[in-house]
Amino acid sequence: MKPIKIDITILAPVRKVWDDYNGPEHIVKWNFAHDTWHCPSAENDLRPGGKLRTRMEAKDGSFGFDFEGTYDEVIPNEKIKYHLEDGRNVEILFDEIDGNTTKVEISFDPEKQNAAEMQRDGWYAILNNFHKYVENH
């Protein structure tokens, strides 16, 4: 399966977008696809070989899962590559369009259990949540 690609343009400087994307204190405020969910915990050791760990849960406690990746490449304010426990790859590019505009592009290998369109929609909902968070805090 070919990677799924999504992107969004955020009206904020690349350094702020980078910090909000990677800081655990920020991740817990935007890393969920729907307002009935939340991200109660996040750890991020942002360096090659380091780990990203987040927990996503339904607010009613009915369901939750852990998300974990290991970093393969980190170029500050530009690029992050990591792989998930099942071997799928994720790449995030931070493109500074100008001093107050940043395009974020995410490319990820789909998993096999859910339809690609559903996965794209879920990742995009999280990216859109991130977009709103960055522009409103």
Side-chain angles (χ1 to χ4, degrees):
M1 287 186 152
K2 68 180 185 180
I4 295 171
K5 295 181 186 217
I6 58 174
D7 66 75
I8 202 157
T9 300
I10 300 172
L11 298 176
V14 70
R15 181 178 298 280
K16 178 178 178 11
V17 173
W18 177 269
D19 291 346
D20 286 357
Y21 197 88
N22 293 298
E25 71 279 14
H26 298 293
I27 294 169
V28 296
K29 295 179 178 161
W30 61 260
N31 190 35
F32 40 90
H34 192 271
D35 60 12
T36 59
W37 281 67
H38 67 141
C39 179
S41 66
E43 298 171 36
N44 196 9
D45 183 8
L46 188 61
R47 61 179 178 80
K51 300 255 189 208
L52 166 67
R53 291 185 185 98
T54 62
R55 175 79 185 161
M56 293 185 200
E57 292 180 358
K59 287 182 179 174
D60 66 8
S62 63
F63 188 76
F65 63 92
D66 295 314
F67 183 89
E68 184 174 311
T70 302
Y71 290 107
D72 300 306
E73 183 178 3
V74 176
I75 302 172
N77 301 319
E78 289 182 27
K79 180 179 180 180
I80 298 169
K81 286 179 84 168
Y82 63 88
H83 61 276
L84 303 173
E85 292 177 301
D86 63 8
R88 293 183 297 131
N89 293 300
V90 179
E91 180 176 86
I92 305 111
L93 301 175
F94 297 81
D95 181 16
E96 182 177 22
I97 294 171
D98 63 37
N100 200 41
T101 311
T102 305
K103 182 177 178 183
V104 178
E105 294 181 51
I106 300 175
S107 172
F108 64 95
D109 293 337
E111 40 95 349
K112 294 173 178 48
Q113 289 85 345
N114 296 294
E117 191 63 29
M118 186 178 123
Q119 293 177 65
R120 183 193 178 285
D121 290 350
W123 281 67
Y124 187 78
I126 293 169
L127 184 59
N128 195 45
N129 220 24
F130 172 68
H131 168 233
K132 288 187 233 170
Y133 174 75
V134 172
E135 290 189 357
N136 292 301
H137 91 100

